[in-house]
Amino acid sequence: DIQMTQSPSSLSASVGDRVTITCRASQSISSYLNWYQQKPGKAPKLLIYAASSLQSGVPSRFSGSGSGTDFTLTISSLQPEDFATYYCQQSYSTLRRLTFGPGTKVDIK
Amino acid sequence: QVQLQESGPGLVKPSETLSLTCTVSGGSISSYYWSWIRQPPGKGLEWIGYIYYSGSTNYNPSLKSRVTISVDTSKNQFSLKLSSVTAADTAVYYCARVMDGGYVVGYYMDVWGKGTTVTVSS
């Protein structure tokens, strides 16, 4: 099965900072990579699908890039409401099984 | 817009079967895949499985022997059964809609329920 890793596992940043989170797959997953944001006590929210497509209604400060095994989620200017945990998720496998990364927690410096 | 609501017992005894239902409102259950995901306290997300409205399923291999997901299109609902539960199955359980973006895009979950907490304890 495909394994997903994320780095860093946590980071501290200030409002206005540019933040980059990396997700790596154990084998090539083409562009079958999605990003979710989860705030405490809330359900996850889809931000990016297919590595770089912005979900409707998501602010343009969020962007995704990458293909193959290495992917990046970038927040261009961190806002107070962006402090949350971010998960990547792949859907590449021929059996169409879904796998989440372990998450990256973004908190206030 | 489409909304999802999980329902079911919040407390299940060890060795028994956990049963949850997700009700879809604001849209039809037809023509989509529907998924269950869980999150143990303080931990990350774990995909449990998904079902197509026609009834075909796909499960996480680590849970496959204990999981059954079913759909009732007449009620616009789909359900999860997890047998032989232990304390390790204590988690918040989410239901979600799975979009099939096709060959180029793949699968992603665009609508989520709020989640329901299930505790396994005697």
Side-chain angles (χ1 to χ4, degrees):
Chain A
D1 276 3
I2 298 171
Q3 306 300 318
M4 308 299 292
T5 58
Q6 288 182 233
S7 61
S9 57
S10 65
L11 67 90
S12 296
S14 301
V15 172
D17 284 353
R18 181 181 182 87
V19 170
T20 299
I21 299 168
T22 297
C23 176
R24 178 164 290 170
S26 59
Q27 65 184 74
S28 177
I29 58 170
S30 185
S31 295
Y32 293 0
L33 192 283
N34 310 311
W35 290 98
Y36 301 85
Q37 175 195 65
Q38 187 180 33
K39 297 180 181 179
K42 300 294 186 182
K45 172 188 174 183
L46 177 69
L47 298 177
I48 302 282
Y49 62 94
S52 61
S53 295
L54 192 68
Q55 171 69 351
S56 177
V58 174
S60 59
R61 63 180 179 273
F62 291 93
S63 64
S65 63
S67 66
T69 60
D70 294 325
F71 301 85
T72 298
L73 173 70
T74 300
I75 309 172
S76 60
S77 178
L78 197 67
Q79 297 301 300
E81 61 267 31
D82 300 337
F83 293 97
T85 299
Y86 294 84
Y87 294 91
C88 61
Q89 172 251 313
Q90 70 83 23
S91 69
Y92 172 78
S93 75
T94 54
L95 296 176
R96 285 288 187 246
R97 291 168 179 163
L98 311 181
T99 310
F100 287 97
T104 295
K105 184 177 182 180
V106 177
D107 61 21
I108 302 172
K109 182 183 286 184
Chain B
Q1 70 276 24
V2 174
Q3 293 184 310
L4 308 181
Q5 177 67 58
E6 305 89 349
S7 60
L11 181 63
V12 181
K13 289 182 168 56
S15 80
E16 295 189 344
T17 295
L18 179 160
S19 295
L20 296 174
T21 295
C22 183
T23 300
V24 180
S25 60
S28 174
I29 203 168
S30 298
S31 304
Y32 291 99
Y33 292 86
W34 304 91
S35 184
W36 288 98
I37 305 96
R38 71 179 183 179
Q39 185 171 38
K43 297 188 178 182
L45 300 168
E46 179 179 32
W47 170 68
I48 298 171
Y50 59 71
I51 187 166
Y52 194 45
Y53 79 100
S54 62
S56 62
T57 55
N58 196 353
Y59 299 139
N60 186 325
S62 68
L63 298 169
K64 188 175 183 178
S65 63
R66 299 194 292 131
V67 171
T68 302
I69 298 176
S70 58
V71 64
D72 186 337
T73 55
S74 66
K75 294 182 178 179
N76 241 28
Q77 294 177 333
F78 63 104
S79 299
L80 167 70
K81 291 188 185 299
L82 181 65
S83 64
S84 305
V85 297
T86 70
D89 295 309
T90 294
V92 176
Y93 285 76
Y94 296 100
C95 59
R97 184 175 73 175
V98 183
M99 293 296 289
D100 178 0
Y103 179 75
V104 175
V105 171
Y107 289 9
Y108 56 93
M109 290 171 276
D110 67 331
V111 180
W112 293 66
K114 293 182 178 180
T116 188
T117 299
V118 178
T119 302
V120 178
S121 175
S122 56

